Amino acid sequence: MSESILDVPSIVRPLVTIADLLRALPSLAVLVEGADLHQPVRWVHVSELTDPTPYLRGRELLLSAGVHLPRTAADTNAYVARLAKAGAVGLGFGIDPVYRNVPPRLITACQAHGLLLLQVPPTVPFIAISEAHVRELERALLRQATVTASLQHKIVAAATRPDPLQSIVNTLAAHLDTAVLLRDPQQGDYLQSGATQGPATNSDIEAVVAQLLESRSSHPSVAVHEPGLHILAQLLTVSGRSMVLVVASSTQLPPETAGIVNVAATVIALVSGHVSTARLRALGEAVARAAVGGPAECLEAPAADTFGQPLDGRWRVLACSPPRGQDLPSWRDNLTTTLATVLRIDDGQLTLAISPESADPERIARQLTAESCSVGLSDPCAWAALPAAARQARRRQAATTVAHGTGPRRPPARVQDLVDQRAAQAFATERLAPLLGRPDGEAAQLLTTLRTWLQTGGHWDHTAAVLSVHRNTVRNRIAKIGTLLELDLSEPEVRVDLWLALDWCDPTILPESHVSG
């Protein structure tokens, strides 16, 4: 059993099998009886060396025209034995360049050592096999991404149910049509859903679990591929304890299984490490209370408890939108794993996520930026300040979008465009009321002087020239305006408020503004 367990450090990568290559190139012929056509091919390699094994890493399909194939049966047998020991998937033998037919001694040796042997006809150049492998790998990648994105949403939904771990196991088993087990030796838990047929038994699975627990970080994932027995398993380290997620089947697992197991393991780690069933229920109840009119503060305690964040902890809001050309639903599904938070809002093209400072949101923001996403991250804040943090994150995301040219080209927004018109007019009427209340002639004169003075940046001579009056007249009028408004017009923020008030004021209540000096 242990000899069939292979370390799979690239467990999220799809697999291309011999069967996939045969479907792509049907003129290839299998010459060894009982060969396992579901063996994964990691690479296609061409070599005419008498001993190519020093240059192999395992799971290669070796291609040779027999230029230096040993002439005797004994030497040929030794050649094939070396390939099998090095972990080669099989040998593709091209006929016609040197041999008109595959030598019988080679067929006999491959049969004896269980090495797959393919006959490559003259019409199929070796480069065509390499190209077929790359095409099948690209198709497998696309298929894996599509299926994984679809299942990702179901796994996350399962994690929010009353019994999240069992729900995730059930979801995986139903989708993959396999047995799925979650083993937690420290807690004594053994969750299972689905069933396998054939030689895959709990004892086989326990052997895989034991292998993973012994190897720990050096071998975080393993795969078993034997006739009638196919297992994928991944080790999870959650809050200092180890768990193992296992998918077992009597038939060949689809290529996307590895990616799905990886996603499920990530969600399980989050649920097990941070969110217990009781905590999820408490958070759900708090959200419901807030939704029906309860105070927003009722969310603070359960949210903090859910994420292991102290009540006085710091939070951040991340605003993110996808790069151009991305399929929005698929991008959001993939974003779920990256953000690792259930506190997420989708608003049009924009996604807002609330994350505790301890989750290192700056690293996530850098990762998303590297993927050409438009990102804005707020400053750390208390829970009660999250509304302001959300506005800050939105502003920074919008600024990033404009700076990088990732958003639609629009004229720069004015402050006036960001304020409700009725609220703006009410502000202007209240601020300018002491001037508007003067007799019409005086009101028009003061308002015109104020507008001109603000337009010229408070320059006395320029204002006097525009109004065709003496500079002292301008000084007297501005002083009167300050007295009536009870404001210090030398303060920059006061000038800004007055300029906006003049711009926002309802024109129907303004007196005739054109006043001669």
Side-chain angles (χ1 to χ4, degrees):
M1 177 70 181
S2 61
E3 293 180 354
S4 66
I5 298 181
L6 305 173
D7 178 36
V8 189
S10 56
I11 194 169
V12 297
R13 296 180 183 175
L15 303 175
V16 176
T17 66
I18 294 293
D20 294 329
L21 293 178
L22 291 175
R23 282 193 297 270
L25 299 169
S27 57
L28 300 179
V30 180
L31 301 183
V32 173
E33 295 181 3
D36 182 6
L37 303 183
H38 294 293
Q39 296 182 77
V41 179
R42 186 184 59 82
W43 204 254
V44 177
H45 183 62
V46 180
S47 177
E48 299 295 347
L49 297 175
T50 55
D51 184 12
T53 56
Y55 306 99
L56 303 182
R57 295 175 52 197
R59 293 295 173 190
E60 293 94 355
L61 174 62
L62 186 68
L63 304 179
S64 172
V67 175
H68 296 295
L69 182 70
R71 298 295 179 178
T72 66
D75 290 342
T76 301
N77 185 74
Y79 168 76
V80 172
R82 288 193 297 270
L83 293 182
K85 185 177 180 180
V89 173
L91 177 64
F93 194 85
I95 57 176
D96 255 5
V98 180
Y99 293 87
R100 290 188 175 274
N101 297 289
V102 178
R105 66 181 184 278
L106 182 59
I107 298 175
T108 300
C110 288
Q111 190 79 54
H113 293 281
L115 185 69
L116 176 82
L117 179 61
L118 297 178
Q119 176 178 285
V120 183
T123 55
V124 180
F126 286 170
I127 188 65
I129 301 176
S130 297
E131 291 172 344
H133 182 266
V134 172
R135 285 196 304 271
E136 291 301 313
L137 184 60
E138 290 174 345
R139 289 173 184 166
L141 282 167
L142 179 60
R143 181 173 59 249
Q144 173 182 298
T146 302
V147 174
T148 302
S150 173
L151 186 57
Q152 202 167 343
H153 176 73
K154 298 178 182 178
I155 292 173
V156 172
T160 64
R161 293 170 189 157
D163 191 351
L165 296 183
Q166 185 65 62
S167 296
I168 293 173
V169 169
N170 293 344
T171 299
L172 282 176
H175 180 86
L176 298 175
D177 194 23
T178 63
V180 178
L181 305 98
L182 181 61
R183 187 78 165 89
D184 186 349
Q186 185 173 336
Q187 299 293 327
D189 294 337
Y190 196 97
L191 304 179
Q192 179 172 349
S193 183
T196 59
Q197 297 178 353
T201 64
N202 281 351
S203 61
D204 297 324
I205 294 169
E206 282 299 326
V208 175
V209 171
Q211 172 107 359
L212 272 173
L213 294 175
E214 290 173 5
S215 60
R216 301 287 174 174
S217 60
S218 60
H219 298 287
S221 53
V222 295
V224 175
H225 296 291
E226 294 180 351
L229 176 60
H230 300 275
I231 298 175
L232 277 177
Q234 186 156 345
L235 179 70
L236 298 76
T237 301
V238 182
S239 300
R241 75 179 194 270
S242 297
M243 302 171 67
V244 179
L245 178 63
V246 183
V247 174
S249 176
S250 58
T251 59
Q252 178 69 25
L253 297 168
E256 61 270 14
T257 303
I260 292 170
V261 168
N262 186 264
V263 170
T266 300
V267 176
I268 289 172
L270 288 170
V271 170
S272 302
H274 302 286
V275 185
S276 68
T277 300
R279 287 174 178 172
L280 274 176
R281 286 175 176 167
L283 180 61
E285 180 181 351
V287 171
R289 287 184 182 277
V292 297
E297 291 77 9
C298 70
L299 282 171
E300 182 175 354
D305 188 45
T306 296
F307 288 94
Q309 181 87 339
L311 293 179
D312 59 351
R314 310 294 283 173
W315 303 80
R316 303 186 81 170
V317 177
L318 184 143
C320 183
S321 61
R324 288 178 178 175
Q326 281 284 337
D327 177 66
L328 190 57
S330 299
W331 177 80
R332 280 181 175 152
D333 285 338
N334 293 330
L335 187 63
T336 300
T337 301
T338 303
L339 294 176
T341 176
V342 297
L343 300 179
R344 198 189 96 187
I345 302 170
D346 294 326
D347 183 9
Q349 290 282 324
L350 191 67
T351 292
L352 286 178
I354 301 171
S355 174
E357 178 71 5
S358 58
D360 195 9
E362 288 188 356
R363 176 187 57 80
I364 298 174
R366 289 194 298 270
Q367 177 182 339
L368 292 170
T369 301
E371 296 171 1
S372 299
C373 297
S374 178
V375 179
L377 183 64
S378 75
D379 296 332
C381 68
W383 179 268
L386 281 175
R391 291 191 292 271
Q392 184 184 56
R394 285 177 179 271
R395 289 196 301 270
R396 289 178 175 177
Q397 186 274 336
T400 302
T401 300
V402 172
H404 294 169
T406 56
R409 293 293 181 181
R410 294 177 293 185
R414 303 187 310 158
V415 174
Q416 292 90 324
D417 300 328
L418 306 178
V419 180
D420 178 77
Q421 183 177 7
R422 286 180 295 181
Q425 288 183 351
F427 163 79
T429 302
E430 180 180 0
R431 180 53 57 93
L432 299 176
L435 303 183
L436 295 171
R438 307 299 293 177
D440 284 350
E442 183 183 1
Q445 185 184 72
L446 294 176
L447 290 169
T448 300
T449 301
L450 177 60
R451 181 184 292 276
T452 306
W453 183 69
L454 292 173
Q455 283 177 329
T456 61
H459 198 285
W460 306 109
D461 291 333
H462 289 178
T463 303
V466 171
L467 297 178
S468 300
V469 298
H470 194 275
R471 59 179 295 172
N472 289 338
T473 302
V474 175
R475 287 183 179 274
N476 291 334
R477 291 178 184 175
I478 294 300
K480 185 174 185 178
I481 291 170
T483 301
L484 291 172
L485 297 178
E486 297 181 356
L487 295 173
D488 182 0
L489 272 63
S490 65
E491 296 291 336
E493 59 269 24
V494 171
R495 296 188 185 190
V496 171
D497 283 350
L498 290 175
W499 176 257
L500 292 175
L502 288 169
D503 197 54
W504 290 340
C505 195
D506 185 352
T508 62
I509 66 173
L510 286 174
E512 176 61 42
S513 60
H514 181 71
V515 179
S516 63

